[in-house]
Amino acid sequence: MNSDLQRIVFQAETEFKSAKSLPELENTKSLFLGKKGKLTIQFNNLKGLDEAHRKELGNELNLAKKTIEKTLASCRKKLVEDRIAKKLKSQAIDISLPGRGLNSGTIHPLSLSLRRIGEIFQGMGFEVAEGPEIETDWFNFTALNNPKDHPARSMQDTFYIENKDEFGQNLLLRTHTSPVQVRYAIDNEPPIRVISPGKTYRVDNDATHSPMFHQIEGLWLDETINFSNLKGVYINFLKEFFESTNLQVRFRPSYFPFTEPSAEVDMKFSNGPLKGKWLEVAGAGMVHPNVVANFGLQSKKIKGFAFGMGLERLTMLKFGINDLRLFFENDLRFLRQFQC
Ligand code: PHE
């Protein structure tokens, strides 16, 4: 390459490298490669040369142009990268800062229990279903083999709503979450494994009863389900929930319109402050054939078990709480004792 060209190449490379921004680089580029750029002028001069010189100088000019373009491309790339790096730096967040408001809240003990109960049953393959708190008479009672004027209805006195629903059905605040299971069993095909947690209402108010409380009910329907499946599932649940393999559990005969046979489930701790006392924790039984039929299923073929328990009661036993009203008074001295 002749010395003139070498000078131009050197000059271009130095100027490209000292450009501080992309627009500056593009301006510098035009000084060499633009219409009136130093290299372009050299190309234009080729016209006046004889063939041998034109060929020789032409080759050198092409080489010079390639060298300049290569430097230009790498300078451009560097400026783009610098711009991105600068932007990232200016937008960086310091994730090592401790979060604000840490330790300013706790999870309500009922929510803690509910989460744990959900986890345990989901671990056994149950789904979780929710439903309306204002129910029709049919879903809350009649579908569950508890017809109008049946004395068993008095076990679950509730709050009635004056208006009827769009089909003229009586409305009430649900007394248990069993109606969710009716809805679920009508909408799904067996095998069905579902728990239904939620708020429930009854006309009760003292240290162990509140007009609003929470239930979790469970239902397993399939062709081969029997009472030992109920015992296996429920005893396993209690052991996991109370984190104890030393629990004694008994199924005491009882009556519910929707199950046959029916049982009340009692358990006994082998240590701790409640050691040695039998405590009632749930109602349970084999789903009554009339109820299976109300699900729209063949009661000769499909069997199932159901159980229902009070979330407050289980939580009181788990944490040693002696007054149910504490759950709803929102006293921070009480609530702050529960960390997740
Ligand atoms: N629904 C019953 C209640 O609230 C509990 C229960 C559920 C009992 C399922 C047996 C079977 O009293």
Side-chain angles (χ1 to χ4, degrees):
M1 209 185 281
N2 70 44
S3 58
D4 264 4
L5 269 185
Q6 277 179 356
R7 219 181 26 253
I8 295 176
V9 170
F10 179 73
Q11 213 185 347
E13 289 187 332
T14 330
E15 296 209 18
F16 289 166
K17 282 179 188 158
S18 64
K20 298 219 160 34
S21 67
L22 283 168
E24 198 181 323
L25 183 69
E26 297 310 318
N27 279 339
T28 322
K29 172 191 158 191
S30 65
L31 293 181
F32 296 92
L33 299 170
K35 258 191 190 157
K36 292 192 177 136
K38 290 184 182 168
L39 206 66
T40 320
I41 292 172
Q42 297 274 345
F43 271 104
N44 292 340
N45 289 344
L46 284 177
K47 276 181 227 151
L49 296 178
D50 61 57
E51 196 173 340
H53 278 110
R54 195 168 358 137
K55 210 170 172 191
E56 191 188 336
L57 191 61
N59 281 340
E60 291 190 352
L61 278 173
N62 278 332
L63 184 65
K65 194 177 176 198
K66 263 199 190 133
T67 318
I68 289 183
E69 279 175 341
K70 217 168 139 196
T71 313
L72 181 70
S74 75
C75 288
R76 204 181 265 138
K77 191 167 165 236
K78 187 168 177 300
L79 285 171
V80 171
E81 283 169 0
D82 285 355
R83 193 167 65 177
I84 295 173
K86 220 165 142 187
K87 199 168 169 192
L88 283 178
K89 206 172 162 200
S90 74
Q91 294 176 348
I93 302 167
D94 182 357
I95 53 165
S96 65
L97 273 179
R100 290 188 196 99
L102 207 80
N103 298 329
S104 70
T106 55
I107 309 278
H108 194 283
L110 292 178
S111 304
L112 283 180
S113 299
L114 187 57
R115 280 187 193 176
R116 184 68 196 123
I117 293 170
E119 277 169 13
I120 297 170
F121 279 106
Q122 279 170 317
M124 291 192 271
F126 282 73
E127 295 206 18
V128 181
E130 292 187 340
E133 285 169 40
I134 297 178
E135 260 302 357
T136 64
D137 190 288
W138 191 83
F139 277 109
N140 193 79
F141 291 124
T142 316
L144 291 156
N145 201 30
N146 198 346
K148 277 201 169 66
D149 305 321
H150 192 287
R153 282 203 180 193
S154 61
M155 284 158 53
Q156 301 192 358
D157 196 11
T158 184
F159 303 92
Y160 293 86
I161 287 160
E162 283 181 4
N163 298 347
K164 294 185 190 304
D165 79 353
E166 53 192 317
F167 306 107
Q169 292 244 24
N170 287 332
L171 293 171
L172 45 85
L173 295 185
R174 67 181 179 192
T175 58
H176 45 187
T177 56
S178 310
V180 181
Q181 305 189 330
V182 181
R183 289 173 180 277
Y184 188 92
I186 289 174
D187 290 345
N188 293 275
E189 289 295 318
I192 283 172
R193 248 182 295 179
V194 65
I195 59 163
S196 49
K199 288 193 177 68
T200 47
Y201 303 84
R202 290 188 201 176
V203 186
D204 274 330
N205 198 12
D206 59 40
T208 51
H209 296 91
S210 147
M212 187 283 300
F213 58 105
H214 298 80
Q215 271 198 344
I216 297 124
E217 301 217 352
L219 173 71
W220 188 334
L221 286 177
D222 205 349
E223 290 183 15
T224 56
I225 296 298
N226 57 38
F227 206 94
S228 28
N229 298 131
L230 163 63
K231 289 178 94 172
V233 165
Y234 202 74
I235 293 173
N236 181 52
F237 158 70
L238 288 177
K239 288 183 171 168
E240 288 208 37
F241 182 73
F242 289 105
E243 294 168 53
S244 161
T245 45
N246 263 336
L247 282 179
Q248 267 181 275
V249 182
R250 73 181 180 200
F251 286 71
R252 187 165 34 83
S254 183
Y255 171 78
F256 298 103
F258 28 85
T259 44
E260 182 64 41
S262 303
E264 230 125 355
V265 188
D266 301 333
M267 64 167 213
K268 191 158 84 172
F269 289 107
S270 53
N271 38 33
L274 293 168
K275 176 182 169 184
K277 270 196 205 161
W278 282 107
L279 305 155
E280 185 193 318
V281 283
M286 299 304 294
V287 182
H288 194 290
N290 291 351
V291 177
V292 176
N294 287 337
F295 291 160
L297 300 170
Q298 287 179 5
S299 55
K300 284 223 165 66
K301 213 168 123 199
I302 300 295
K303 312 279 166 219
F305 67 73
F307 56 84
M309 52 193 163
L311 182 62
E312 283 77 4
R313 179 153 176 80
L314 284 173
T315 310
M316 286 168 84
L317 291 173
K318 180 158 173 142
F319 295 112
I321 298 163
N322 55 11
D323 192 328
L324 176 126
R325 290 168 289 204
L326 282 166
F327 287 132
F328 308 119
E329 282 168 352
N330 284 328
D331 186 333
L332 291 179
R333 288 168 304 178
F334 171 73
L335 296 176
R336 285 212 172 108
Q337 296 175 44
F338 301 91
Q339 302 286 344
C340 43

